Structures are given as structure tokens and as C-alpha cells.
Amino acid sequence: MSGQNVQISFDGMPEKLFSCTPYRLETWLDCPKKYRYTYIEIPKPPRGGPWGHTSMGSAVHNALREWFTLPQEQRTDEKGAELVVKHWRSEGFRDDEQSERYRFRAQQWVRQYLTGVNPNDEPRGLERTVSATTERLSLSGRVDRIDERDGELVIVDYKTGKRPPDEIEAGGSLALAIYAIGAERTLRKKCRTVELHHLPSDTKAVYRHDEASLARHVQRAERIAAEALAATSQGRFTATPGALCGYCDYARICTDADREPAQPWAGLDENS
Ligand code: SF4
């Protein structure tokens, strides 16, 4: 890692590293205009209101984080369900009835998930920020959980979306690969395994990286960043309207949106 965030480029000229998170790079891929709204425009344009599925995901993440900070004897399944209530926010739901119904569902997810967790295991990190530099980038990100198993670090990312992810998604995730690289640099221990823990289905998608697959993700991150930087210097942020517009925080102000903004509760899964 670089303490100063500056390095010498190939032509001998000092070059500032581009600081970014996986989310920033993914936002560029989603839609360059959304990237402009999110990272370039000053003052920042108004965003849409909260989403129900985001409120639900936050409550689950916060409950699981706090659960691991409790004394081991208090880490029960039921305590996890209680923590969901503690962290619940009803923003983004249609009404109180819908909010309560999904809160109950989130409690069930957490209770079930924790039946498979050993309360005596201490994670190496909880919502831990990790970072690493590459030739051109200063990458950082916050990891839901970092475990240590068999002498290696393991990246754990909680998912609460509709669809269970698979191994291909775990291996193809730029964010998870960057977390693995960052965790290894930050905590000075080997990290190759990344896991997506899907609470609604109580399934795990696991992928084990090697040097080559991590290097490919770094190259990809550098390509995306180079594209975003070049477009920024030219003020060129071409909108790519599509299905994401319905859930874009800027759909209400974007003249390129190709559909009406979805209802705040549209991302909730009625069948989960
Ligand atoms: S509404 Fe659609 S086109 Fe506009 S910024 Fe968002 S994703 Fe891009």
C-alpha cells in the first residue's frame, strides 16, 4: 500500500493515484450519467427517497454486525431476530402493515442464518474498511465480514436480494475480488476465498480466487477507471437508459430515463 497515495508513473512524471471504491466503478458500468450525478456534479443533485428493500437489507446487515459484537453467550438465534427489530426502519414501505410483514420475514432470515453460525467464532473484521493500491488506483471498500479459517482470510458479503447468487457471480464480482486484495494487504494475511451469503434462501455462493483471477479483476478495475477518467476530462457522460432507470435514485430528474421510477417497495420480493 502507498501511504502518500502518489507514485511515479512509467514516464517518470508523478501521477496521483485515482481513489475509488468498487461501487464507484460499478456505477460507471451501470450508467455514466448516473456516475456524473453521484460523483462529479457539485452541488449534488437531489436523490430519490429511500427504498423498502434497502431498509430491509440495512436492518439485516446491522443486526448481524451487532450480533458478532455481543459476548458469545448472548449470541443466540433469537437475539439476532431481536436485533433486526432494533435496527428496523420503515422508510420505503407502502404502509405499516407491509413494513411489519417484511420485518417479520427479515427476522426469520436472520434466525435461520444464525442456526448455521458458530457463536464462538470471532470474525477478523466487521464492516471493516480495507484498501490496496495498484499501478494506477487506490482501491478501498467496506467488507461485511472477514473470517479467518485454516490460516487464511475469507470475505463474507451478505445478500438480501430476490435471486440467490451462484459461484459464477461470486467469482465474477469485482467488489469481492477487490475486498480480497484489500483484506490481504490490510490484515497481512492470505485471502483467496470470497463468499456471498444469501439470507432469503439461506445459501452460500463460494469462489476461490488464485493470483491470475485476482490480477484479471485488477486489470478490469484499471480499465473501467481509465474509461471513467477519460470521459470525465472530456465532460462526456453518455446515458445508458434501461431496466436500471426504474430503480435509479436520479430517475426523477434525469431526462434520459426511459421509464417511470418504480414504487419504493417494488424491489421487495413478494414470494420470498
Ligand atoms: S435514470 Fe437511467 S439514464 Fe438516467 S442516470 Fe439513472 S440509469 Fe442513467
Side-chain angles (χ1 to χ4, degrees):
M1 283 192 303
S2 163
Q4 293 187 316
N5 218 29
V6 170
Q7 71 172 27
I8 305 298
S9 65
F10 286 128
D11 58 7
M13 296 294 289
E15 183 174 311
K16 197 167 185 292
L17 293 178
F18 178 49
S19 294
C20 61
T21 61
Y23 182 74
R24 183 168 182 149
L25 299 175
E26 285 163 359
T27 301
W28 173 262
L29 293 178
D30 283 350
C31 174
K33 192 170 181 184
K34 183 180 175 188
Y35 179 91
R36 189 189 91 193
Y37 285 138
T38 309
Y39 295 106
I40 306 298
E41 280 198 14
I42 299 174
K44 289 205 175 301
R47 298 170 66 106
W51 299 95
H53 63 276
T54 306
S55 293
M56 194 176 190
S58 296
V60 168
H61 280 72
N62 288 332
L64 291 173
R65 174 187 46 74
E66 187 171 339
W67 189 84
F68 278 105
T69 68
L70 297 172
Q72 290 179 350
E73 65 275 11
Q74 291 181 29
R75 295 181 195 171
T76 62
D77 313 343
E78 210 40 54
K79 188 66 185 176
E82 281 175 29
L83 289 172
V84 171
V85 177
K86 175 181 172 183
H87 290 287
W88 193 256
R89 301 284 177 272
S90 55
E91 286 100 355
F93 293 93
R94 184 174 47 223
D95 50 30
D96 288 347
E97 181 277 326
Q98 189 186 50
S99 171
E100 280 179 29
R101 191 152 43 85
Y102 279 91
R103 187 184 68 194
F104 181 71
R105 193 173 294 182
Q107 287 182 275
Q108 287 179 312
W109 292 350
V110 168
R111 202 183 277 114
Q112 175 62 31
Y113 176 74
L114 289 175
T115 62
V117 173
N118 183 346
N120 300 319
D121 288 344
E122 296 293 350
R124 281 292 305 273
L126 292 171
E127 298 195 355
R128 171 83 194 244
T129 297
V130 297
S131 59
T133 56
T134 71
E135 189 178 313
R136 303 279 177 184
L137 304 178
S138 173
L139 295 162
S140 63
R142 199 167 61 169
V143 188
D144 289 343
R145 198 174 94 207
I146 303 172
D147 288 349
E148 183 171 344
R149 299 182 215 147
D150 302 324
E152 288 191 14
L153 302 175
V154 176
I155 299 297
V156 174
D157 195 41
Y158 303 125
K159 305 305 272 187
T160 56
K162 295 180 182 179
R163 188 180 48 80
D166 59 18
E167 181 190 346
I168 295 171
E169 191 171 333
S173 166
L174 181 66
L176 291 182
I178 290 173
Y179 295 158
I181 296 165
E184 180 162 322
R185 303 268 175 90
T186 303
L187 299 175
R188 300 178 191 284
K189 192 171 274 286
K190 188 173 178 179
C191 184
R192 292 290 178 276
T193 303
V194 297
E195 298 183 349
L196 294 170
H197 292 195
H198 187 245
L199 275 287
S201 62
D202 196 22
T203 58
K204 294 175 186 171
V206 179
Y207 187 83
R208 184 164 176 83
H209 280 290
D210 54 24
E211 293 285 342
S213 62
L214 290 176
R216 280 195 296 275
H217 277 291
V218 168
Q219 287 165 4
R220 183 164 173 245
E222 291 190 332
R223 274 198 307 273
I224 298 167
E227 198 180 303
L229 281 171
T232 302
S233 69
Q234 298 161 12
R236 180 171 43 82
F237 300 97
T238 309
T240 52
L244 285 175
C245 291
Y247 291 92
C248 177
D249 286 328
Y250 303 102
R252 284 174 181 78
I253 60 167
C254 179
T255 52
D256 289 299
D258 71 349
R259 64 201 69 202
E260 290 296 311
Q263 298 281 14
W265 50 88
L268 298 166
D269 186 358
E270 284 296 333
N271 305 311
S272 69

